Amino acid sequence: MKFTGRKLFLIGFVVILLVGIPVTVFLLQQQSNTSSKAAQSTNLAFNPVSSAAAPIQKNVGDSVPLDITVDPGKNLVSFVKLEIQYDPSVLATASANAFSPNTTAFPSVLEGPVYSPGKIDVTLSVGPDPTKAIQQKVTAATVTFTAIKNTPAGTPTLVTYTASTQVLSIGSNDQASENVLSSATPATIAIGGAGPTEAIPSGTPTPVPSISPSPTTAAPSPTTAISPTPTVAISPTAIPSPGPTSTGGTPPTCSNLTVDRATTGEAPYSVTFTANGTSSTGTISKVSFNFGDGQVSDVTQAGGIGTATVNVQASHTYNNPGTYAASAILTDNNNNVSSSSASCAQTITVNQSAVASGSGATNPTPTMPPTGSTGLAIGLGLGAMLLILGGGLIFFML
């Protein structure tokens, strides 16, 4: 068979189709898969900004207003479900209207706010108009607490977002039901830093005046000059007088610390810890969770607090990669504390998420709507088959 120029052209055309069509279909599938992955870039936080090193300083009785901020990053936020957790023995909601939404940013309150001990649940939405989607950092609401108890020195209390918190986006690259929350930063509050120290000065002025009149009224008498000596000797014993309350009985035992999921995951990684323990000579008054990343949470209500046996939970979100040694300590009504043990500790390993690793799959620039790629691929495939059949027919006719 003699190959003319037309036949060679047709052969080349068919070869190009046979190679180009599968490549085109593959690229379209990759584009569709990339477009179907939501970019988790929304951050929740409280304002004023705080940390363990720089907590918000308040005294008992003070109002503690916190703005809830939503930074959408690359998302178009349309829906926010908030579950805010706090220690009800340290903070109390200021009133029945403690949670005040910003109706300019989120005009629709779908659920709540629902107040329960240590928790506030509320769901906010921008409404049916997609043009109202949040595209820049805004204040979603303000929640106001009242400080009701001093926090221990160096151990501030936290107001956190639980693992049930959810953010949805209507961005073209985001799935309608996929949580696009990237991180949730808690508020760190230290209450009554001067409160405990006031107890010492209140006793200190008593011996000072008692010593100063003695030299003034009985300066000539050598016997009265000795009287301040026993007064000063008694003063040091009065300061550690609370010591006996921290002894007596046997310290409680923390039997185990469990987690609700694997101890390894990608940031942000939310874990719920459960501490179990007993006291043989008293009742458990507090369970302190040390999450290993500088955050500590004291639980003084729920889970059997006030009884000899406790089963207490605390949730925490690790926002940064790393390995964290989490532990729990029990305190009884006599201020005895449990000793550290391997059975009451967990090692949490948080890896950098694929979204944050810069793989390039998080911010695709689609050349066409994701919903049309499958139909286009089918159309191209059918058209290619017709071209191949037509080309083959012409080839044999020539």
Side-chain angles (χ1 to χ4, degrees):
M1 179 182 294
K2 185 178 179 181
F3 290 95
T4 64
R6 290 183 177 181
K7 289 183 178 181
L8 291 174
F9 173 78
L10 288 172
I11 291 172
F13 179 72
V14 171
V15 170
I16 291 173
L17 287 176
L18 291 174
V19 175
I21 290 174
V23 172
T24 303
V25 172
F26 173 78
L27 292 176
L28 289 172
Q29 288 176 342
Q30 290 297 106
Q31 181 190 49
S32 177
N33 292 337
T34 300
S35 300
S36 66
K37 295 180 180 179
Q40 295 178 330
S41 63
T42 300
N43 300 309
L44 294 179
F46 290 102
N47 192 42
V49 177
S50 58
S51 65
I56 301 169
Q57 297 286 345
K58 294 291 181 178
N59 293 316
V60 172
D62 286 352
S63 176
V64 188
L66 298 173
D67 289 337
I68 299 170
T69 61
V70 178
D71 187 349
K74 298 181 183 300
N75 300 132
L76 298 179
V77 174
S78 60
F79 172 97
V80 177
K81 178 182 178 182
L82 298 171
E83 187 172 270
I84 301 169
Q85 191 172 40
Y86 61 94
D87 186 347
S89 69
V90 177
L91 296 172
T93 48
S95 67
N97 299 317
F99 187 95
S100 176
N102 178 7
T103 55
T104 301
F106 290 92
S108 179
V109 180
L110 301 180
E111 294 181 358
V114 177
Y115 302 93
S116 57
K119 192 177 294 184
I120 301 174
D121 295 278
V122 64
T123 302
L124 307 176
S125 171
V126 299
D129 186 356
T131 63
K132 301 294 185 181
I134 305 302
Q135 303 182 51
Q136 59 186 357
K137 186 176 180 180
V138 298
T139 297
T142 300
V143 58
T144 305
F145 298 98
T146 299
I148 59 175
K149 180 182 177 182
N150 291 342
T151 56
T155 310
T157 189
L158 298 179
V159 180
T160 62
Y161 301 99
T162 73
S164 298
T165 297
Q166 185 180 26
V167 179
L168 302 183
S169 169
I170 59 173
S172 60
N173 298 330
D174 302 333
Q175 296 297 298
S177 60
E178 188 169 355
N179 192 357
V180 297
L181 178 61
S182 175
S183 66
T185 305
T188 307
I189 305 168
I191 301 173
T197 60
E198 291 175 356
I200 297 174
S202 64
T204 304
T206 303
V208 173
S210 66
I211 296 172
S212 61
S214 298
T216 304
T217 56
S221 173
T223 57
T224 56
I226 302 173
S227 63
T229 303
T231 306
V232 176
I234 295 172
S235 176
T237 61
I239 295 175
S241 59
T245 62
S246 63
T247 61
T250 304
T253 300
C254 183
S255 54
N256 61 67
L257 179 66
T258 61
V259 292
D260 67 333
R261 59 194 308 185
T263 56
T264 301
E266 293 183 351
Y269 196 59
S270 298
V271 182
T272 297
F273 296 89
T274 302
N276 296 280
T278 58
S279 174
S280 59
T281 59
T283 59
I284 307 299
S285 58
K286 180 175 67 174
V287 177
S288 300
F289 291 88
N290 186 332
F291 301 112
D293 61 350
Q295 302 294 330
V296 177
S297 177
D298 290 340
V299 179
T300 56
Q301 292 184 359
I305 295 294
T307 65
T309 302
V310 292
N311 180 281
V312 177
Q313 290 187 339
S315 297
H316 184 65
T317 299
Y318 294 92
N319 295 310
N320 299 311
T323 300
Y324 305 99
S327 60
I329 295 177
L330 277 57
T331 303
D332 67 10
N333 58 321
N334 294 318
N335 287 334
N336 295 316
V337 297
S338 62
S339 59
S340 302
S341 64
S343 62
C344 205
Q346 290 282 353
T347 299
I348 307 297
T349 302
V350 181
N351 301 317
Q352 188 172 15
S353 67
V355 172
S357 63
S359 60
T362 59
N363 301 314
T365 304
T367 57
M368 60 189 68
T371 56
S373 58
T374 302
L376 181 60
I378 295 173
L380 285 173
L382 293 174
M385 291 299 296
L386 292 174
L387 287 174
I388 292 172
L389 293 173
L393 180 61
I394 295 173
F395 175 77
F396 287 107
M397 289 177 64
L398 296 175

